[in-house]
């Protein structure tokens, strides 16, 4: 599993793992029923604490992205369309907030930004 940990990031390591696995699930790189590496193996591969991987997996399970089967491991859960929509909305809000921040620095008005968004939307 290709997970990249950045020690320079302000984001905790467990959250980096969680977000990257969520991304793989949302992009269908990991599909329903796919097995995740054991917590122990992932910790060893990433050279981090087992407690950190355990927390990432617990968060993923709490959010409905994975399920744990006793004695067998952790697996990608069936996609909950409402959950996927909510995650996508969060990402859109984050990206739009960044766009607004950049627009403010460049003195671009809300109307101009809305026009840009309308143009991009029509192009797709």
């Amino acid at each position: 599993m290709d997970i990249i940990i950045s020690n320079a990031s302000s984001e905790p390591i467990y959250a980096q793992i969680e977000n990257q696995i969520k991304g793989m699930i949302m992009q269908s790189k990991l599909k329903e029923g796919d097995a995740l590496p054991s917590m122990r193996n992932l910790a060893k591969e990433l050279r981090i604490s087992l407690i950190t991987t355990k927390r990432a997996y617990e968060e993923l399970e709490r959010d409905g992205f994975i399920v744990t089967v006793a004695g067998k491991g952790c697996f990608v859960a069936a996609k909950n369309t409402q959950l996927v929509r909510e995650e996508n909305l969060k990402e859109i809000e984050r990206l739009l907030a960044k766009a607004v921040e950049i627009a403010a620095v460049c003195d671009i008005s809300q109307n101009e930004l809305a026009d840009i968004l309308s143009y991009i939307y029509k192009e797709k």
Side-chain angles (χ1 to χ4, degrees):
M1 180 171 292
D2 293 328
I3 295 178
I4 299 167
I5 301 299
S6 171
N7 291 323
S9 174
S10 61
E11 186 177 45
I13 293 173
Y14 80 87
Q16 291 179 50
I17 296 167
E18 176 188 358
N19 291 334
Q20 289 180 55
I21 293 174
K22 275 183 185 180
M24 289 180 220
I25 293 169
M26 300 287 286
Q27 297 166 12
S28 296
K29 290 179 182 175
L30 289 174
K31 297 180 180 15
E32 178 183 344
D34 284 353
L36 296 179
S38 73
M39 289 179 228
R40 205 173 293 281
N41 284 344
L42 185 60
K44 185 177 179 181
E45 179 182 319
L46 297 176
R47 296 183 181 149
I48 59 173
S49 164
L50 175 61
I51 295 167
T52 303
T53 56
K54 184 176 189 302
R55 172 127 187 232
Y57 278 30
E58 285 172 348
E59 297 289 324
L60 287 163
E61 187 164 25
R62 184 201 70 210
D63 291 346
F65 283 91
I66 66 171
V67 292
T68 302
V69 178
K72 294 196 176 189
C74 296
F75 300 88
V76 176
K79 275 193 181 173
N80 176 335
T81 55
Q82 187 61 30
L83 179 64
V84 170
R85 178 175 165 71
E86 284 300 315
E87 286 297 317
N88 284 328
L89 284 173
K90 277 196 263 185
E91 180 66 5
I92 290 167
E93 287 173 11
R94 185 187 70 73
L95 293 170
L96 287 174
K98 183 68 176 170
V100 168
E101 183 181 303
I102 294 168
V105 168
C106 298
D107 200 28
I108 296 172
S109 72
Q110 181 178 352
N111 288 337
E112 287 176 294
L113 194 58
D115 289 343
I116 293 167
L117 181 60
S118 292
Y119 176 77
I120 291 170
Y121 206 83
K122 287 176 187 174
E123 289 294 311
K124 297 285 177 185

